[in-house]
């Protein structure tokens, strides 16, 4: 039994506020991807470095990021570290949580991509007189990023969806936060959330299609 | 004979067609109430995890009046509407402010409880009263009456920051950790949480000058029979002294009036 009369007009009247929220959502996701990629490259480097401490740090990071809920990671960034007197705003907490998750997954993507690049490439680069860092930076890394490009866009989509968890740490100006607030105000839950779902869908679809277009250009030899 | 059977069939089907939610509850033998169990002393869980509080008792009383058994369905604030609309609960006994905006979607009874608002602050924040909250980081439970009023106030002040949280527990945790300097909550909730000792370093700093927050029972908008019954039930609770009794049990102090002066309801 579902007794509800839909009143779309009331929900559509709130569309501008929700689109503002959507902009924030995309910003957080982009920012967390940019930082996440840098961190993931470093984590991958640490894993390959042979240094025990660095390896332990990166392994722990990746294991935690991949094997605990994103909700938990975001909650810990806000309430967990606050027990030690370190305070982040809801925006920063959400960004930290998503970036932590992104870096963990991306680092695994990169590791997989590296496996697809034959050792001989590094060796030839070295024989041309490149230092190990040059060989990685000029020869291996570009190929690694290219191979893992599509998995990276998956992570971008996931980052967009993860922003919805920000409500648990007090975010109310991203898409989900705005919707939740409007819901409490008007009780028009189903119209508002349906609208939010459509916006989320459109955003992620645009990312997927955009990524495919970029990929078809990027991977043309 | 044939006419008799037809008449009987018609009577039965007519009876079935007329059955409304009130009849459904009575014939099902169970009243399912949406209660927020993160809102002491209105709703919470005791040490043995049983639902307790004013709203829980109120639901039990309502079920007793209907002659059915009560079933408490734990419902966080944002899920009150989905719980009602999907038929998981019959009535909301969930400290719900009876705003005109919400009344477009659900049917409210007359008010069954009235909240006054209090300021609670972290001892180190420098907040001593409502006015000293200006420029500080303040928060409240997203979508509640006090959160909406406080967010507007922060905007009007033009300085400071407002943060909404999903549960009352998160608000007081953030307050105790110093992430929030102060909060405005219903005075009952403030006192219960400060007294609980779960949140060190916070204290109630007096009243917030918001209008009294009247909360009402709610059910589906078109269930006039049930809404009528709820109105009378709320009235009877006051008339029989049960409201005073429950207030004394869970809150204590002077019982707030449910009447709005110079108005009909």
């Amino acid at each position: 039994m579902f007794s509800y009369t839909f009143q779309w007009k009331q929900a559509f009247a709130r569309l501008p506020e929700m689109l503002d929220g959507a902009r924030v959502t995309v910003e957080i996701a982009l920012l967390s991807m940019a930082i996440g990629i840098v961190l993931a490259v470093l984590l991958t480097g640490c894993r390959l470095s042979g240094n025990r401490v660095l390896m332990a740090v990166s392994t722990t990071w990746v294991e935690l990021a991949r094997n605990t809920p994103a909700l938990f990671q975001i909650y810990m960034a806000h309430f967990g570290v606050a027990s030690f007197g370190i305070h982040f705003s809801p925006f920063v907490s959400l960004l930290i949580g998503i970036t932590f998750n992104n870096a963990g997954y991306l680092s695994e993507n990169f590791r997989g991509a590296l496996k697809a690049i034959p050792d001989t490439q590094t060796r030839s680069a070295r024989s041309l007189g490149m230092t190990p860092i040059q060989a990685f930076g000029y020869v291996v890394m570009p190929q690694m990023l290219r191979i893992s490009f599509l998995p990276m866009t998956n992570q971008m989509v996931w980052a967009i969806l993860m922003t919805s968890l920000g409500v648990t740490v007090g975010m109310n100006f991203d898409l989900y936060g705005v919707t939740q607030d409007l819901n409490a105000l008007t009780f028009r839950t189903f119209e508002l959330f349906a609208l939010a779902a459509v916006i989320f869908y459109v955003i992620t679809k645009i990312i997927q299609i955009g990524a495919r277009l970029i990929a078809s250009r990027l991977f043309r030899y | 004979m044939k006419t008799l059977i037809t008449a009987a069939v018609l009577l039965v089907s007519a009876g079935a067609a007329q059955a409304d939610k009130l009849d459904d509850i009575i014939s099902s033998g169970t009243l399912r109430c949406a209660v927020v169990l993160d809102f002491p002393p209105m709703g919470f869980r005791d040490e043995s995890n049983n639902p307790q509080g004013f709203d829980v008792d109120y639901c039990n009383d309502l079920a007793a009046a209907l002659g059915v058994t009560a079933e408490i369905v734990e419902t966080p604030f944002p899920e009150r509407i989905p719980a009602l609309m999907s038929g998981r609960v019959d009535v909301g006994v969930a400290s719900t402010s009876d705003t005109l905006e919400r009344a477009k979607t659900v049917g409210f009874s007359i008010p069954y409880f009235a909240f006054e608002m209090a300021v609670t602050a972290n001892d180190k924040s420098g907040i001593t009263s409502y006015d000293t909250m200006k420029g500080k980081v303040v928060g409240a439970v997203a979508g509640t009456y006090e959160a909406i009023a406080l967010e507007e106030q922060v905007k009007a002040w033009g300085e400071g920051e407002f943060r909404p949280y999903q549960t009352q527990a998160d608000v007081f945790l953030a307050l105790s950790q110093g992430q929030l300097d102060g909060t405005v909550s219903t005075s009952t909730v403030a006192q219960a949480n400060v007294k609980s000792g779960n949140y060190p370093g916070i204290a109630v700093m007096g009243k917030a000058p918001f209008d009294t927050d009247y909360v009402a029972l709610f059910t589906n908008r078109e269930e006039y029979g049930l809404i009528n019954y709820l109105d009378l039930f709320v009235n009877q609770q006051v008339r029989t002294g049960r409201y005073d009794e429950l207030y004394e049990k869970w809150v204590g102090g002077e019982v707030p009036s449910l009447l709005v002066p110079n108005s009909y309801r």
Side-chain angles (χ1 to χ4, degrees):
Chain A
M1 188 189 73
F2 186 84
S3 50
Y4 192 75
T5 318
F6 285 85
Q7 291 182 3
W8 290 102
K9 220 173 170 177
Q10 238 182 311
F12 278 119
R14 304 294 195 158
L15 195 58
E17 291 163 67
M18 292 175 75
L19 289 176
D20 274 349
R23 194 173 42 80
V24 176
T25 285
V26 173
E27 279 168 11
I28 295 177
L30 281 174
L31 206 55
S32 74
M33 278 304 282
I35 307 171
I37 290 173
V38 174
L39 285 174
V41 171
L42 290 177
L43 285 177
T44 314
C46 289
R47 275 194 158 189
L48 302 173
S49 68
N51 180 314
R52 277 222 177 140
V53 180
L54 292 180
M55 279 167 80
V57 168
S58 71
T59 310
T60 313
W61 184 315
V62 173
E63 288 295 307
L64 278 178
R66 282 165 44 102
N67 297 307
T68 60
L71 176 66
F72 170 81
Q73 293 159 14
I74 293 164
Y75 202 83
M76 284 307 278
H78 194 70
F79 290 107
V81 298
S83 314
F84 307 104
I86 307 164
H87 297 164
F88 298 118
S89 72
F91 182 90
V92 175
S93 303
L94 179 60
L95 187 62
I96 292 175
I98 298 179
T99 307
F100 178 82
N101 190 289
N102 277 347
Y105 274 92
L106 289 172
S107 156
E108 276 297 279
N109 285 340
F110 291 165
R111 202 166 64 109
L114 282 181
K115 282 199 171 160
I117 303 166
D119 251 6
T120 45
Q121 302 230 1
T122 314
R123 269 186 267 157
S124 352
R126 296 277 285 130
S127 71
L128 289 171
M130 286 188 187
T131 64
I133 289 178
Q134 279 176 327
F136 182 76
Y138 292 130
V139 178
V140 179
M141 200 171 77
Q143 297 185 67
M144 176 185 91
L145 292 176
R146 179 187 269 178
I147 294 168
S148 49
F149 180 76
L150 284 175
M152 262 194 265
T153 64
N154 280 342
Q155 190 62 31
M156 175 70 193
V157 167
W158 179 224
I160 293 273
L161 302 183
M162 273 193 287
T163 59
S164 61
L165 301 170
V167 287
T168 56
V169 293
M171 265 296 280
N172 69 334
F173 50 96
D174 65 319
L175 176 53
Y176 195 82
V178 168
T179 313
Q180 186 79 282
D181 265 17
L182 291 175
N183 167 34
L185 213 59
T186 64
F187 271 18
R188 301 246 56 110
T189 310
F190 298 98
E191 293 91 334
L192 291 166
F193 279 98
L195 214 53
V198 170
I199 298 175
F200 268 119
Y201 184 86
V202 169
I203 295 173
T204 54
K205 220 53 202 175
I206 289 172
I207 292 170
Q208 284 161 14
I209 293 169
R212 225 165 282 153
L213 285 176
I214 295 171
S216 67
R217 292 231 145 178
L218 215 58
F219 302 153
R220 217 164 32 189
Y221 287 95
Chain B
M1 191 63 204
K2 215 173 178 182
T3 10
L4 255 178
I5 293 170
T6 321
V9 166
L10 272 176
L11 260 176
V12 169
S13 57
Q18 271 167 12
D20 66 356
K21 198 157 185 162
L22 182 56
D23 289 324
D24 290 345
I25 294 167
I26 294 166
S27 59
S28 77
T30 324
L31 171 75
R32 296 163 306 162
C33 299
V35 178
V36 181
L37 293 179
D38 169 43
F39 200 58
M42 303 304 281
F44 58 96
R45 287 183 183 277
D46 63 13
E47 287 87 4
S48 36
N49 221 22
N50 293 316
Q52 293 287 346
F54 187 97
D55 282 345
V56 174
D57 277 358
Y58 215 82
C59 172
N60 288 332
D61 287 356
L62 179 58
L66 288 163
V68 298
T69 38
E71 187 187 316
I72 306 294
V73 180
E74 175 165 13
T75 311
F77 280 118
E79 279 162 35
R80 286 173 294 190
I81 288 306
L84 179 70
M85 294 307 166
S86 58
R88 262 183 292 141
V89 301
D90 303 310
V91 177
V93 189
S95 307
T96 307
S97 311
D98 55 356
T99 67
L100 286 170
E101 190 65 40
R102 289 170 172 180
K104 293 174 190 166
T105 308
V106 296
F108 283 112
S109 71
I110 56 175
Y112 78 99
F113 201 88
F115 287 109
E116 280 171 341
M117 298 298 158
V119 176
T120 308
N122 189 298
D123 295 335
K124 296 188 194 106
S125 66
I127 293 174
T128 51
S129 67
Y130 180 74
D131 292 322
T132 55
M133 291 176 96
K134 187 177 174 178
K136 301 280 203 280
V137 180
V138 296
V141 181
T144 56
Y145 178 86
E146 59 272 24
I148 294 160
L150 188 59
E151 187 166 16
E152 266 170 25
Q153 177 73 76
V154 170
K155 272 183 199 149
W157 276 333
E159 51 178 314
E161 189 190 338
F162 174 82
R163 289 182 191 170
Y165 288 91
Q166 287 305 294
T167 68
Q168 198 72 70
D170 281 348
V171 172
F172 282 98
L173 177 61
L175 197 63
S176 175
Q177 288 179 340
Q179 306 222 54
L180 286 178
D181 294 321
T183 182
V184 171
S185 65
T186 59
S187 57
T188 52
V189 165
Q191 265 140 19
N193 277 298
V194 171
K195 234 192 312 184
S196 75
N198 294 332
Y199 308 102
I202 64 169
V204 179
M205 303 291 181
K207 278 189 181 176
F210 295 166
D211 294 339
T212 306
D213 177 22
Y214 295 95
V215 296
L217 309 174
F218 68 86
T219 186
N220 301 68
R221 203 179 65 174
E222 65 284 2
E223 291 295 342
Y224 302 111
L226 183 54
I227 295 170
N228 252 330
Y229 193 91
L230 294 177
D231 283 347
L232 185 59
F233 173 72
V234 170
N235 187 298
Q236 293 260 14
Q237 288 286 91
V238 178
R239 220 194 284 174
T240 56
R242 179 66 174 159
Y243 173 59
D244 290 6
E245 203 179 298
L246 286 181
Y247 195 87
E248 183 57 39
K249 178 178 174 189
W250 294 111
V251 189
E254 200 188 327
V255 183
S257 167
L258 297 176
L259 293 175
V260 179
N262 301 326
S263 92
Y264 289 107
R265 172 198 149 160

